Amino acid sequence: MNVKVVSLSSLICFVCWATIFSQETGIYVPPQIQKIYNGNTRSWNGEPGKGYWQNSADYYLKVKLDTETNLVTGSGDIVYYNYSPDSLKTIVFRLYQDIFKKGIARDYGLNEKSIGSGTQLKHLSINGVELDPDTAGYRSYTNYYVKLTEPLAPSNHLDVEIGWEFKIPEEQTIRMGKYREGGFFVAYWYPQIAVYDDVDGWDRTEYLGQVEFYNDINNFEVEITAPENYLIRATGDLLNAKDVLTEEVYSRYENALTSNEVVRIIRREDLEENITAGNENQTWYYKATGVPDFTFACVKNYLWDGVTAMADAKTGRKIFADVLYKDGDRNFDEGAYFSKIIVEYLSTGLPGVEFPYSHITSFCNGNSAGGGMESPMMTNDGAPYSRVSTFSLLLHEIAHTYFPFYMGINERKYGWMDEGWATFLTKDLVSEIDSNYSHYQNIFKRYGPVLGKESDVPLMIPSRLVKGYPLTAAIYGRAFFAYVALEDLLGKELFKKALKEFINRWEGKHPLPYDFFFTFNDVANQDLSWFWNPWFYDLGYCDLGIEKNEAGEIAVKLIGNQPVSVDVIITYHDGSQQFVNKNPEVWKNGDTEFILQTDKGKKIESIKINDERIPDLDANNNYLNLD
Ligand SMILES: [Zn+2]
């Protein structure tokens, strides 16, 4: 038995350490968060705690879209369930459309013509008591707080009836809107109850334009009314297809739902023809269970293609992949086929988790700048120029199914836990479609402008506190390269195992960054804090360089602080080459120099760091000519 003599001073030191880095995680865990992990909702090994809880709601909504005036009129019953141990004295609604309201602060300026009156609340009753929406609560930017006369007790529910309307702005679209004649994508459209969680209580984050989702997992039954010959595709399953589509379109749709080949459901020859039954407004019934949001596309004179994709080969479970686009939207005639490949890749490749939804519908908004927006079972996409960009866009948006939807990520604080993953999950499949396309370089273009500058901020700074380009650079760029380095470090197999474990543990829940760090530590059975700190917590950058050291050895230097793989090509005078590949573990013990074992019998001509896969700040020190 080893007997250690512990001096009083080192004991005191240890106590300090244990207080700051509780459970000796090696990473900073704020005291507010430590309390949670010492409680029963989360665990220090990254699993949800035995007492983990989450609130949820059932939304029964009716909405009418007037395609002439752009007026959206809605009414709904919301049943909100309180599974928290707290009595809730207030209920917080998000009225997203207030971002367009005059006088509201925003993350960026809007076209003046788009400024309007935001969400008009027409009716409110809580637990059967009629309230005046103007006096029952108060508006703060896009949030609406209503004080409850009777607190909502634990294990109890609240019945809300609400009526509202807003006008879709003509000039400007923010993740939703009227994009062109016959092309509406309607999101952020209903009064939504904010998240109440074990970290902050109510999420009071305002929707100012930049940060996106943080939603509970809810159920929706929605009746959408739109004029004749508008097609509605929405989150959830369409329950009355037979009643709303013409016989011919319905039979093609039915066929597509089981087809392994792409079915052209609405074709060029159908444009300007009837595609809906009857000659007046149609009401479409959609139902979705266990989703964090509900959106819909409302289109006229659009083409519609659909095909099935295998989500689980063992059970034979297939999902429906479909696209809505206008004749002439570049590459979208391949969109359904692309979506099929994507869903099958995500289900079996990375993350290798069965696609969780019954369909994925992609709406093309025609914007040539590209870009897109995800929502559960729906994506809203531009029309980029190249085939590979279209594929990459669809892949990115569909990959969001896992983050932030299947995993209820709070991207208002941790944007890297959704954009970073969507960017990362794109990299392998997109290079299979086009081997000349460098996803790494493409992402580097996004990250490069902040690299080595003050505005390259650590990922652990809450996203809502970072504005503008630095946020984009961090949550897409820095996060992407961090995950790439992590995959290199663990190797593909262990990395996938850890990622799948993280997903299995937290699907349908609200994981924090610590749940991610601790799960990876747990599955890898190692303390990865030496890696988490520089990539997620610290200011710094990535830079490798090549030097001949004092002893005459050739060394790869870690000049920046972010650990990355070493990928070096040594060219000898006789024309032969030696390739050195080491994963980021070479920097684990704080070493900043890695000595290359070269062939002593041969004369070296040059040494080159292959910097294609790393966000290297200074390319000038990546090449050494010894000739
Ligand atoms: Zn994204």
Side-chain angles (χ1 to χ4, degrees):
M1 185 192 231
N2 278 330
V3 179
K4 266 191 181 167
V5 179
V6 180
S7 73
L8 185 62
S9 68
S10 73
L11 189 69
I12 290 167
C13 228
F14 174 75
V15 171
C16 296
W17 177 262
T19 313
I20 298 168
F21 293 86
S22 190
Q23 299 278 323
E24 297 178 66
T25 59
I27 52 170
Y28 173 67
V29 181
Q32 173 209 6
I33 304 291
Q34 285 181 38
K35 258 190 227 161
I36 295 163
Y37 284 85
N38 288 331
N40 66 354
T41 56
R42 292 167 200 265
S43 319
W44 290 101
N45 70 355
E47 287 177 17
K50 287 197 170 56
Y52 183 83
W53 55 264
Q54 205 165 286
N55 291 350
S56 75
D58 295 336
Y59 288 84
Y60 304 90
L61 308 177
K62 289 180 183 174
V63 56
K64 185 177 174 197
L65 173 59
D66 185 326
T67 53
E68 294 297 317
T69 61
N70 296 342
L71 187 72
V72 175
T73 312
S75 64
D77 295 345
I78 308 168
V79 185
Y80 181 68
Y81 300 91
N82 180 19
Y83 297 113
S84 85
D86 310 323
S87 278
L88 307 182
K89 298 190 180 85
T90 302
I91 192 108
V92 183
F93 294 91
R94 297 167 177 164
L95 307 177
Y96 292 99
Q97 291 302 315
D98 281 0
I99 191 171
F100 289 104
K101 199 166 149 182
K102 197 173 180 192
I104 295 274
R106 284 175 278 266
D107 288 327
Y108 42 80
L110 293 187
N111 183 312
E112 213 171 300
K113 281 189 191 157
S114 299
I115 312 284
S117 2
T119 309
Q120 303 290 305
L121 289 179
K122 296 289 177 188
H123 164 68
L124 178 69
S125 92
I126 291 183
N127 286 341
V129 179
E130 288 292 329
L131 300 165
D132 175 354
D134 292 332
T135 54
Y138 71 94
R139 303 259 191 126
S140 159
Y141 301 98
T142 58
N143 284 341
Y144 176 53
Y145 297 84
V146 178
K147 206 166 179 332
L148 300 173
T149 40
E150 284 284 321
L152 173 59
S155 306
N156 232 317
H157 69 269
L158 196 73
D159 292 305
V160 178
E161 282 179 38
I162 196 159
W164 74 98
E165 64 180 40
F166 69 90
K167 234 177 167 180
I168 293 177
E170 274 285 350
E171 297 280 329
Q172 193 138 6
T173 56
I174 304 180
R175 305 189 175 97
M176 57 84 66
K178 180 180 179 180
Y179 288 85
R180 51 185 166 175
E181 211 42 53
F184 292 86
F185 192 84
V186 185
Y188 296 84
W189 61 276
Y190 59 94
Q192 184 184 69
I193 297 180
V195 174
Y196 185 88
D197 68 17
D198 60 333
V199 181
D200 297 311
W202 284 113
D203 168 36
R204 294 163 190 269
T205 312
E206 306 283 357
Y207 177 64
L208 305 181
Q210 197 161 252
V211 291
E212 298 170 354
F213 297 98
Y214 181 37
N215 295 356
D216 279 324
I217 309 299
N218 302 315
N219 301 315
F220 292 86
E221 283 181 34
V222 184
E223 296 177 19
I224 305 160
T225 301
E228 57 178 321
N229 293 322
Y230 271 88
L231 169 72
I232 305 286
R233 292 293 292 148
T235 306
D237 295 322
L238 173 58
L239 303 181
N240 65 334
K242 204 171 182 176
D243 302 334
V244 283
L245 296 169
T246 59
E247 224 169 277
E248 188 160 27
V249 173
Y250 174 73
S251 89
R252 289 183 202 145
Y253 169 63
E254 275 284 288
N255 181 16
L257 289 175
T258 55
S259 174
N260 289 324
E261 304 290 327
V262 173
V263 174
R264 311 284 177 188
I265 306 168
I266 296 181
R267 306 170 179 177
R268 279 182 190 89
E269 61 265 29
D270 302 323
L271 300 178
E272 310 294 341
E273 298 291 329
N274 285 342
I275 59 107
T276 56
N279 296 319
E280 43 195 51
N281 279 343
Q282 298 283 341
T283 298
W284 305 65
Y285 295 87
Y286 274 92
K287 184 175 176 174
T289 50
V291 289
D293 202 0
F294 186 101
T295 64
F296 60 96
C298 177
V299 298
K300 190 177 178 182
N301 291 327
Y302 260 61
L303 301 171
W304 183 22
D305 297 343
V307 65
T308 60
M310 185 66 80
D312 183 3
K314 267 194 220 133
T315 61
R317 182 181 157 261
K318 290 178 176 180
I319 73 119
F320 184 54
D322 60 326
V323 289
L324 306 168
Y325 60 105
K326 274 204 167 180
D327 196 8
D329 283 340
R330 284 176 297 267
N331 312 307
F332 264 81
D333 55 346
E334 284 191 283
Y337 165 67
F338 286 168
S339 305
K340 177 186 175 76
I341 296 175
I342 290 164
V343 167
E344 291 176 354
Y345 169 76
L346 294 168
S347 300
T348 56
L350 259 187
V353 172
E354 184 182 346
F355 194 81
Y357 297 143
S358 61
H359 75 87
I360 184 75
T361 302
S362 295
F363 157 85
C364 180
N365 61 42
N367 186 347
S368 59
M373 186 61 213
E374 68 278 11
S375 68
M377 305 189 204
M378 301 290 295
T379 76
N380 170 6
D381 311 283
Y385 285 95
S386 72
R387 184 173 185 263
V388 68
S389 298
T390 307
F391 185 86
S392 169
L393 173 63
L394 286 171
L395 176 49
H396 177 100
E397 303 310 338
I398 296 173
H400 273 304
T401 297
Y402 297 89
F403 306 90
F405 301 132
Y406 191 51
M407 309 281 276
I409 303 293
N410 182 353
E411 55 171 312
R412 298 159 159 229
K413 287 205 278 189
Y414 322 115
W416 54 273
M417 291 181 82
D418 94 302
E419 294 303 349
W421 283 118
T423 306
F424 178 83
L425 292 173
T426 306
K427 81 176 162 56
D428 291 342
L429 187 63
V430 76
S431 65
E432 278 180 36
I433 288 293
D434 184 346
S435 56
N436 294 321
Y437 179 81
S438 175
H439 187 61
Y440 296 92
Q441 291 305 303
N442 207 24
I443 303 306
F444 185 70
K445 273 188 216 148
R446 289 187 136 178
Y447 184 40
V450 303
L451 188 58
K453 303 205 175 113
E454 285 176 307
S455 47
D456 184 4
V457 291
L459 295 169
M460 287 301 284
I461 305 285
S463 300
R464 65 183 175 214
L465 304 183
V466 185
K467 301 290 175 204
Y469 196 81
L471 179 67
T472 308
I475 67 179
Y476 292 82
R478 188 198 258 234
F480 169 76
F481 288 107
Y483 294 139
V484 168
L486 181 61
E487 187 185 41
D488 285 356
L489 174 66
L490 299 180
K492 280 190 183 293
E493 203 176 314
L494 180 57
F495 175 84
K496 183 173 172 178
K497 188 177 167 200
L499 179 58
K500 280 181 77 162
E501 181 63 19
F502 175 50
I503 293 175
N504 288 336
R505 286 178 178 187
W506 289 94
E507 56 97 351
K509 301 187 174 67
H510 296 314
L512 301 178
Y514 318 94
D515 301 313
F516 160 66
F517 299 140
F518 299 158
T519 294
F520 269 66
N521 285 349
D522 189 33
V523 175
N525 196 23
Q526 49 186 298
D527 175 7
L528 297 167
S529 54
W530 67 274
F531 182 89
W532 306 133
N533 279 315
W535 272 110
F536 293 86
Y537 280 87
D538 296 344
L539 289 162
Y541 61 96
C542 165
D543 185 27
L544 296 182
I546 296 189
E547 276 177 26
K548 205 170 196 178
N549 69 12
E550 284 169 5
E553 298 161 315
I554 311 283
V556 177
K557 291 270 197 183
L558 184 70
I559 300 164
N561 61 331
Q562 291 169 348
V564 286
S565 291
V566 171
D567 183 1
V568 173
I569 306 158
I570 303 163
T571 305
Y572 293 98
H573 215 71
D574 62 7
S576 62
Q577 287 192 315
Q578 181 190 344
F579 299 90
V580 179
N581 281 100
K582 291 283 170 194
N583 80 40
E585 194 161 16
V586 294
W587 315 116
K588 181 179 172 179
N589 298 322
D591 293 338
T592 54
E593 191 176 83
F594 173 73
I595 307 296
L596 290 171
Q597 301 303 316
T598 57
D599 189 336
K600 297 281 183 277
K602 291 189 198 172
K603 191 177 176 231
I604 298 171
E605 190 174 275
S606 66
I607 299 166
K608 183 178 182 295
I609 293 175
N610 177 11
D611 55 14
E612 153 98 25
R613 296 175 66 255
I614 58 173
D616 195 90
L617 175 68
D618 181 5
N620 293 322
N621 57 19
N622 292 354
Y623 184 78
L624 193 63
N625 194 339
L626 295 175
D627 217 9

